[in-house]
Amino acid sequence: MPRFEPHPDRRPAIVAGASSGIGAATATELASRGFPVALGARRVEKCQEIVEEIESGGGEAIALPLDVTDADSVKSFVHGATEALGDIEVLVAGAGDTNFGRIHEMSTDEFESQVQIHLIGANRIATAVLPGMVERRRGDLIFVGSDVALRQRPHMGAYGAAKAGLVAMVTNLQMELEGTGVRASIVHPGPTKTNMGWSLPAEKIGPALEDWAKWGQARHDYFLRAVDLARAIAFVAETPRGGFIANMELQPEAPLADVKDRQKLQLGEEGMPS
């Protein structure tokens, strides 16, 4: 007898923040692996374009409007997804944006908006699906965190504070859900090339990059791709029952140094072994 019943053949998933970036890539990846997927975002028309791509590849998906800062929107989204696809087995909570800026130069309203979307919003959508998961004694809550929650970075103080709060919430969920069959996981992306933040004007991005270098946080210029995170999230979702991924951090691999650079690392400045 297995310790746990295996995952059901059909596992409907909802992806919050699916109109672009990591969310869009995750929805596409999950659909390619046979998950029926509900894509949710404020830009529902962008989600619909992704749905059409998924369907053209033989996947099953729907697009519904979702604003995680609005309780009624979250309830409507979860209800619509459940009606269309069935009971929700997997949640990927990745809705969010970021606003670069020093905390002392940022208004409290701007600071609060980051907490609202990254922490309160994640809580709102998780608690909308949790009762059903607990009742069925299975389900996966997968939260998109950030390495900024683990190692704070200048100019991202509000975002980092919200994501650090998310770590605390997920850790509590893991303890409180123990024995229910529901798994809570958090995946921390390192620097990732998406539109989030990188569409900001140069006068905001430039000082941030300078300060990151000052604090040793910009060692190289390679970035993760959204698809890299999508594969990691899918791995978490597909982990067989009986174990779960509590925390996962992905970082971009540094570009390969050329032969001369490697030799310089191996030899001292005078050409002698260091």
Side-chain angles (χ1 to χ4, degrees):
M1 286 287 292
R3 294 181 301 160
F4 295 87
E5 291 293 325
H7 293 304
D9 293 335
R10 183 177 175 82
R11 299 183 69 202
I14 58 178
V15 180
S19 60
S20 64
I22 295 171
T26 298
T28 301
E29 181 71 19
L30 289 174
S32 74
R33 295 171 183 243
F35 290 80
V37 183
L39 291 77
R42 288 174 292 187
R43 297 181 299 168
V44 68
E45 70 283 353
K46 292 291 186 181
C47 291
Q48 185 56 47
E49 292 174 7
I50 299 164
V51 165
E52 291 169 6
E53 294 175 4
I54 288 172
E55 291 177 335
S56 69
E60 181 181 359
I62 61 167
L64 296 168
L66 172 64
D67 180 353
V68 297
T69 67
D70 184 302
D72 290 336
S73 175
V74 169
K75 291 177 183 177
S76 177
F77 172 73
V78 172
H79 176 75
T82 303
E83 286 288 304
L85 303 178
D87 292 331
I88 305 305
E89 295 281 335
V90 178
L91 161 67
V92 179
D97 58 13
T98 190
N99 184 15
F100 284 34
R102 297 180 177 94
I103 292 176
H104 72 280
E105 296 173 344
M106 181 183 295
S107 71
T108 299
D109 287 344
E110 289 176 306
F111 189 97
E112 183 192 19
S113 71
Q114 293 289 284
V115 176
Q116 282 290 335
I117 192 166
H118 292 288
L119 178 56
I120 305 301
N123 173 271
R124 186 173 282 120
I125 195 161
T127 53
V129 299
L130 261 171
M133 289 182 173
V134 171
E135 182 179 352
R136 292 187 298 276
R137 298 175 65 81
R138 66 174 186 268
D140 276 292
L141 305 174
I142 305 172
F143 298 87
V144 179
S146 172
D147 69 336
V148 178
L150 310 177
R151 294 172 295 279
Q152 292 296 317
R153 192 175 298 156
H155 299 259
M156 299 187 75
Y159 176 84
K163 289 296 191 181
L166 182 66
V167 171
M169 186 185 79
V170 175
T171 303
N172 274 273
L173 281 170
Q174 290 168 347
M175 293 186 287
E176 294 167 358
L177 292 172
E178 189 169 75
T180 67
V182 181
R183 312 185 297 187
S185 307
I186 187 164
V187 176
H188 297 291
T192 306
K193 197 62 180 290
T194 69
N195 290 330
M196 191 180 81
W198 298 107
S199 59
L200 293 170
E203 58 266 24
K204 281 200 169 186
I205 298 291
L209 292 174
E210 290 176 7
D211 278 355
W212 294 357
K214 170 185 173 182
W215 290 95
Q217 296 173 325
R219 297 186 307 279
H220 60 81
D221 60 358
Y222 270 29
F223 289 80
L224 292 167
R225 302 163 299 174
V227 293
D228 299 327
L229 273 303
R231 285 194 292 268
I233 291 168
F235 175 79
V236 174
E238 290 184 334
T239 299
R241 299 288 305 279
F244 77 105
I245 309 299
N247 299 277
M248 179 188 290
E249 179 182 353
L250 259 69
Q251 289 292 340
E253 185 176 359
L256 295 175
D258 62 31
V259 174
K260 291 181 179 179
D261 289 338
R262 291 201 300 272
Q263 289 174 341
K264 288 178 182 178
L265 290 173
Q266 293 167 356
L267 300 174
E269 291 183 2
E270 303 302 323
M272 298 297 290
S274 56

